[in-house]
Amino acid sequence: RRGLFGGTELARSSAVVIGHQDQGADTKVWSSCVMAAHNTALVLVAICVQVANAWVPPAVGRIGALAARPNLSAAGRSAGSAPLKMGLEIANDGEDEDAEEGINWMPPLTMTADVEKEDGAQVFPLFPLGSVVYLPNTEHILSIFEPRYRSMYNDILLSGGRSFATCMVNEETGQFAETAMIFYLDELKEVSQQTNDQVKYICKHQATRRVNLKKVLNPKVWKDGSTYLKVQVEDLEDVDTEETYPDDDQLLMQVFREVVDLQDKLKEEPRFSPTLFSMFNSETNLEDEEVWSLVNLWQTLANERVGAVRKKKTDEVSRRHERYGRL
């Protein structure tokens, strides 16, 4: 990562630079710059959120007429987004309440009997992974310890498919997101002996493509944990893959550049490196992969900021404990 990210210190597995604040800046200038950076960052967050919404219905593959829209509501529905099924037919009585936020949730699981897949339909194991949004063309490492998922990895290795679906889970309701990501297993390492069988496998995956979940075929096992879920899926196809959005791309890159420049000026930590712009071939005609890369960069920055705050607070607590111990 050193070819892309400068600075004196790098956070592990991050795409952002750890810098140091300029303590000698004038207070008024500093406050003004911080506010400007904050406001600009909010714009970029909003734009990136809209782009991120492209991978969950009801958004399209790329942002549409972004500059002309006063809000960040979804631009339309992706192809193939039919009413959902959960071992039974689901009536489409209207849009989900969360649709305005770009996420469609499946109905809550009911402990119905197993159902058959439709002829010719795609079926994958389902490995729900909490509230994390997984983006296309990214790599992820998972530690596998639950018996049902140990079994799942054995099965995908034996079948040769090496793939499974993963989706977000609503933290409040337990519902699955309608849109899932297909993970392809690149590498698997058994670590049973090293971990005293606490962890069975450490696995490296590539997030390859997006799908819509159509049916959970064995919903009863979710509650008892006897084995892993299986789902019928349908490929999610963006409806505007042939369209270009030069004005939107230019706006997106302009705001991104402003954020990077302000972060560099303020020596904000963590921050983006100006060398990141070498990743993009054009600032007025972004490829889909480049848009996803930009979203991934912003997601990484947000995670690193959380980590930085956590470390700062932990260090502060440790210092206070040390002072208390010396009293």
Side-chain angles (χ1 to χ4, degrees):
R1 297 180 182 273
R2 291 188 182 276
L4 291 178
F5 313 109
T8 57
E9 182 182 354
L10 290 175
R12 287 189 302 171
S13 301
S14 73
V16 292
V17 177
I18 304 298
H20 303 279
Q21 293 182 347
D22 182 3
Q23 300 295 335
D26 180 82
T27 303
K28 293 184 179 179
V29 174
W30 176 262
S31 299
S32 176
C33 290
V34 169
M35 182 60 68
H38 178 265
N39 290 339
T40 306
L42 288 177
V43 176
L44 183 58
V45 169
I47 294 174
C48 284
V49 166
Q50 174 62 21
V51 177
N53 282 346
W55 83 280
V56 284
V60 294
R62 292 290 303 277
I63 47 179
L66 175 63
R69 289 203 304 273
N71 55 54
L72 292 174
S73 58
R77 291 195 65 87
S78 293
S81 50
L84 301 174
K85 300 170 186 175
M86 218 43 179
L88 67 161
E89 297 294 330
I90 302 296
N92 189 9
D93 295 328
E95 295 294 334
D96 189 282
E97 291 181 359
D98 287 316
E100 294 181 358
E101 299 177 3
I103 300 177
N104 284 349
W105 300 104
M106 299 186 76
L109 277 177
T110 56
M111 300 301 107
T112 57
D114 292 356
V115 296
E116 295 294 328
K117 73 178 184 70
E118 298 173 6
D119 292 340
Q122 301 179 72
V123 174
F124 285 93
L126 180 66
F127 191 169
L129 289 171
S131 59
V132 179
V133 177
Y134 293 98
L135 303 175
N137 307 317
T138 54
E139 293 182 349
H140 305 279
I141 297 176
L142 302 177
S143 297
I144 308 305
F145 52 88
E146 281 193 52
R148 54 180 164 179
Y149 297 120
R150 295 184 184 201
S151 175
M152 185 193 80
Y153 275 87
N154 292 337
D155 289 348
I156 65 173
L157 285 171
L158 288 174
S159 68
R162 303 178 72 92
S163 298
F164 59 89
T166 182
C167 65
M168 292 178 63
V169 181
N170 189 310
E171 294 180 337
E172 296 182 358
T173 66
Q175 292 171 268
F176 298 149
E178 175 185 339
T179 302
M181 182 67 67
I182 298 298
F183 271 24
Y184 180 82
L185 176 62
D186 282 329
E187 299 176 12
L188 179 145
K189 181 179 180 181
E190 183 166 350
V191 293
S192 300
Q193 292 185 343
Q194 299 92 314
T195 64
N196 196 26
D197 204 37
Q198 295 298 307
V199 176
K200 175 69 172 178
Y201 300 125
I202 294 179
C203 306
K204 180 180 178 182
H205 312 79
Q206 181 77 19
T208 58
R209 61 190 175 96
R210 299 165 290 155
V211 295
N212 280 335
L213 304 182
K214 309 308 293 182
K215 286 182 183 179
V216 175
L217 302 180
N218 54 342
K220 292 177 65 175
V221 304
W222 179 242
K223 185 176 181 179
D224 60 35
S226 58
T227 188
Y228 56 90
L229 294 171
K230 295 180 181 180
V231 290
Q232 177 180 314
V233 307
E234 182 179 87
D235 286 332
L236 191 158
E237 299 180 5
D238 293 327
V239 298
D240 60 348
T241 54
E242 303 300 323
E243 300 293 332
T244 59
Y245 304 96
D247 293 340
D248 296 336
D249 290 346
Q250 185 175 10
L251 172 62
L252 181 63
M253 293 305 296
Q254 176 186 339
V255 176
F256 182 49
R257 186 176 294 278
E258 291 174 2
V259 169
V260 173
D261 290 344
L262 282 170
Q263 287 180 336
D264 186 59
K265 179 178 180 180
L266 301 176
K267 305 304 179 188
E268 186 179 57
E269 52 177 305
R271 64 183 185 272
F272 291 122
S273 168
T275 58
L276 284 172
F277 290 100
S278 62
M279 296 174 56
F280 305 98
N281 295 322
S282 170
E283 296 192 10
T284 58
N285 187 22
L286 296 176
E287 299 291 336
D288 285 348
E289 292 78 7
E290 293 176 320
V291 176
W292 286 119
S293 295
L294 187 56
V295 176
N296 187 39
L297 283 172
W298 194 260
Q299 184 185 58
T300 303
L301 177 67
N303 292 336
E304 289 298 321
R305 282 185 168 176
V306 171
V309 171
R310 183 183 296 115
K311 183 178 184 304
K312 181 179 179 181
K313 296 301 182 183
T314 301
D315 292 345
E316 181 180 345
V317 170
S318 298
R319 288 193 298 269
R320 292 190 178 189
H321 281 171
E322 291 176 3
R323 288 198 299 268
Y324 179 79
R326 291 194 294 266
L327 294 179

